[in-house]
Amino acid sequence: MAGVVLRKVVKQFGAVKAVDDLSIEIQDKEFAVLVGSSGCGKTTALRMIAGLEAVTSGEIYIGDTLVNDMAPKDRDIAMVFQNYALYPHMNIRENMGFGLRIRKIPKAEIDARVEEAADILGLGDLLDRKPKELSGGQRQRVAVGRAIVRKPKLFLFDEPLSNLDAKLRVAMRAEISKLHRRLGATIIYVTHDQVEAMTMANRIFIMSKGILEQSGAPMDVYSKPANLFVAGFIGSPAMNFIDATLVAADGGLVIDTGSFRVRAPDSFASRLGAHAGRKVVFGVRPEDIAARAAASVDEGNTFAAQADVVETLGSEIFVHLTCGAHAIVSRMEAPESPLRVGDTIEVQLKMAKTHVFDPETSLTLV
Amino acid sequence: MNRKIVSSALFYLAVAAIVLVVLFPFLWMLASSFKTQVDIISWPPKIFFSPTLQNYRKVFGEQDFLKYFLNSTIVGASAVGLSLVLGLPAAYSIARFRQRKLAVFILLARLMPGISFLMPWYIVFSRLDLMDSYTALILSHILIALPIVVWIMSTYFSTIPPEMEESAMVDGATRQYAFWAIILPLSGPGIITATTLSFIFSWNNFMFSQVLSMEKTKTLPIAVYNFLSYAEVDWGGVMAAAVAIMAPAIVLTMIFQKYVVKGLTMGAVKG
């Protein structure tokens, strides 16, 4: 098992920088998820770690070994591809044993390891079938099985669940997490799905346009996004961004959006003080907007808004609100008397959880 | 309703006309090969006649037809074999490393009139004392077979997802081994198409053999040509010989036509 270090890694395709000055450090036995929208360089980064793509500049270490010029076969890694890349002309047993046969491992041991992996993944009955006779979910398991029989230092997953239907994806997510604990291996997992990233990762690396935007534990990234991009990317539905002006008033700071005014908590004052009188972006997660409880005291965090669209999910509802010029999405508990389109409701923000961004640098102020 | 019947009638009429035009010379040849000289030149042409095997007996008995048959086979098989050995890796490289210009260049070699190669070849091969040798003939026929192999196979390889060999490479294979163990076994239909077509082109080639071969390495088309130029024209013999030449090509095509059509149309759509 081994950690992985990328130091100032650059990958250039012609004039395009797919990965730009990427430095990340992944600990031994960590489940690291590279996440970002398509074209952000996450897959390119993974392929460079695998050795399938040459590094333009920078250094990649697996364990303590510099692997820049090492062939993929010598890196002691296993990779699961998005389209599984099973060999159609071999049965499942041969597919899973392929890497071991190349390494001239005795046949008895290959058989034992394949059986073991098949047991773990519930593929026991399918070993003599060809890949085309298997369902998508089963093929996915075989691809994972082919990786684990090798017992490599490092597992690489390239969007392995994106070809599965939603239900299967949830099941496989849990299964891969379980596998990670069982194998005690280092895993680098690439996905565009922030839900996968949040649920599976020990640490998330959020990329955009070839650059690492932020890394950290899922909850840290969620509650303390470094900038506007990360704040908008993590969380579903996405965070509401509202253009506002920071005003000094009533002995504190007030966020004035033009449509409503809310009072910034005193704890924000030290970091926002210098920005009084300037334009800011006010960020509120949908889940931090609730209907105002009748008995609650107004602490300068409520305003009235009109419900435009109400999406009922069962235990909770998504409400698309309009307040003046602003459209805001909120996610709240389903009220006892159903909310109707056109209703005006009092909403209340959990101000301590809101964020304020600098529109010029797009960095987080609070 | 009426219009539908008319249009479908017209359609089949057109098909019949095309088939007739294409097949008529072949049928004429086939019929003549079983006719006596008198029947062949009689006018109006006899549609009903008593067939004779005389022509075939003459072709295979008096002429050393089997030897020419063998020569054509040796030259065709060797040229195709060598073209596969050289062309499959080349096609793979073109497909994977996007060397499309190289592929066009190789195809150009095929599109240039073959006769422009003959003069230099003639000089080189006679200096090397390789005239009337299998070596010279096989080398010249590689010019026929290799571009076909490269063109068809580079298109075929590019339809195989690159993850196949990438996965094998991560699993511990070199690229060469991945090509051998993963890509080639998946390329059966493409290889059959390329082999069939290039073999038939080599089999039918007249010009290169006419110049570069003499008695020892003479191939079938030259043998038939020689039939014509001796004394009186023995039409029955020529026709029988022509049928004998065409038979292997037709049999090959019929056996592999499923793959050939697939291989060719795939090239057309994906190219």
Side-chain angles (χ1 to χ4, degrees), chain A residues 1-6 24-32 61-64 76-77 151-155 180-181 183-188 201-203 205:
Chain A
M1 301 302 156
V4 176
V5 176
L6 273 66
I24 60 181
E25 230 168 285
I26 292 157
Q27 309 296 322
D28 185 22
K29 297 188 169 51
E30 195 169 26
F31 197 129
Y61 294 89
I62 297 177
D64 301 322
D76 196 13
I77 50 174
K151 303 191 171 157
K153 277 196 278 200
L154 172 65
F155 288 91
H180 172 240
R181 281 199 297 279
L183 300 172
T186 313
I187 292 182
I188 305 179
N202 297 138
R203 212 139 56 95
F205 296 81

Side-chain angles (χ1 to χ4, degrees), chain A residues 168-183:
Chain A
L168 211 48
R169 211 176 304 157
V170 174
M172 279 310 287
R173 221 157 62 192
E175 221 164 310
I176 293 175
S177 291
K178 237 187 278 172
L179 206 60
H180 172 240
R181 281 199 297 279
R182 178 173 184 155
L183 300 172

Side-chain angles (χ1 to χ4, degrees), chain A residues 47 50 52 72-73 77-79 81 83-90 95 98-99 102-103 146 150, chain B residues 161-175 177-178 180-186:
Chain A
R47 289 171 59 85
L52 296 170
K73 70 185 177 69
I77 50 174
M79 185 158 171
F81 291 84
N83 61 5
Y84 318 140
L86 302 181
Y87 314 129
H89 58 301
M90 298 181 189
N95 258 287
F98 181 77
I102 294 181
R103 281 158 215 270
R146 195 170 60 181
R150 293 252 322 282
Chain B
E163 284 87 354
M164 284 292 163
E165 69 258 27
E166 286 176 353
S167 168
M169 281 157 66
V170 171
D171 263 354
T174 57
R175 189 177 276 277
Y177 184 79
W180 181 256
I182 305 294
I183 302 302
L184 280 188
L186 298 179

Side-chain angles (χ1 to χ4, degrees), chain A residues 78-258:
Chain A
M79 185 158 171
V80 178
F81 291 84
Q82 181 174 2
N83 61 5
Y84 318 140
L86 302 181
Y87 314 129
H89 58 301
M90 298 181 189
N91 66 28
I92 300 313
R93 192 187 299 278
E94 290 162 340
N95 258 287
M96 287 169 66
F98 181 77
L100 301 175
R101 285 204 304 281
I102 294 181
R103 281 158 215 270
K104 305 252 158 43
I105 288 173
K107 193 169 178 315
E109 196 187 336
I110 297 180
D111 287 344
R113 285 215 224 164
V114 169
E115 302 279 351
E116 189 195 342
D119 272 351
I120 294 175
L121 294 164
L123 292 169
D125 309 334
L126 307 172
L127 283 177
D128 295 313
R129 300 226 193 135
K130 289 277 176 67
K132 65 165 186 279
E133 299 168 66
L134 268 51
S135 70
Q138 290 168 332
R139 285 181 208 181
Q140 219 286 322
R141 276 161 209 271
V142 175
V144 173
R146 195 170 60 181
I148 66 176
V149 293
R150 293 252 322 282
K151 303 191 171 157
K153 277 196 278 200
L154 172 65
F155 288 91
L156 307 176
F157 286 82
D158 184 8
E159 309 227 7
L161 305 186
S162 54
N163 288 359
L164 301 180
D165 63 54
K167 207 170 168 188
L168 211 48
R169 211 176 304 157
V170 174
M172 279 310 287
R173 221 157 62 192
E175 221 164 310
I176 293 175
S177 291
K178 237 187 278 172
L179 206 60
H180 172 240
R181 281 199 297 279
R182 178 173 184 155
L183 300 172
T186 313
I187 292 182
I188 305 179
Y189 187 106
V190 160
T191 179
H192 64 269
D193 180 352
Q194 56 97 16
V195 176
E196 267 175 42
M198 291 293 288
T199 50
M200 299 166 83
N202 297 138
R203 212 139 56 95
I204 293 186
F205 296 81
I206 299 154
M207 293 181 68
S208 137
K209 295 176 186 155
I211 291 169
L212 180 66
E213 297 281 354
Q214 189 176 2
S215 70
M219 271 321 286
D220 289 348
V221 173
Y222 173 81
S223 56
K224 299 190 191 85
N227 54 37
L228 274 170
F229 177 83
V230 175
F233 189 79
I234 299 291
S236 171
M239 187 186 281
N240 296 293
F241 293 126
I242 303 156
D243 290 327
T245 313
L246 206 56
V247 189
D250 312 337
L253 288 168
V254 167
I255 297 159
D256 183 359
T257 66

Side-chain angles (χ1 to χ4, degrees), chain B residues 44-64:
Chain B
K46 283 194 174 173
I47 291 169
F48 301 102
F49 57 92
S50 48
T52 166
L53 282 175
Q54 188 56 39
N55 296 321
Y56 287 92
R57 227 170 274 136
K58 205 158 48 188
V59 167
F60 287 102
E62 293 170 19
Q63 291 276 329
D64 207 350

Side-chain angles (χ1 to χ4, degrees), chain A residues 29-41:
Chain A
K29 297 188 169 51
E30 195 169 26
F31 197 129
V33 176
L34 304 186
V35 63
S37 37
S38 69
C40 74

Side-chain angles (χ1 to χ4, degrees), chain A residues 344-355:
Chain A
T344 298
I345 55 170
E346 280 285 288
V347 294
Q348 189 167 28
L349 306 184
K350 292 179 190 157
M351 286 307 294
K353 292 190 172 182
T354 61
H355 297 274

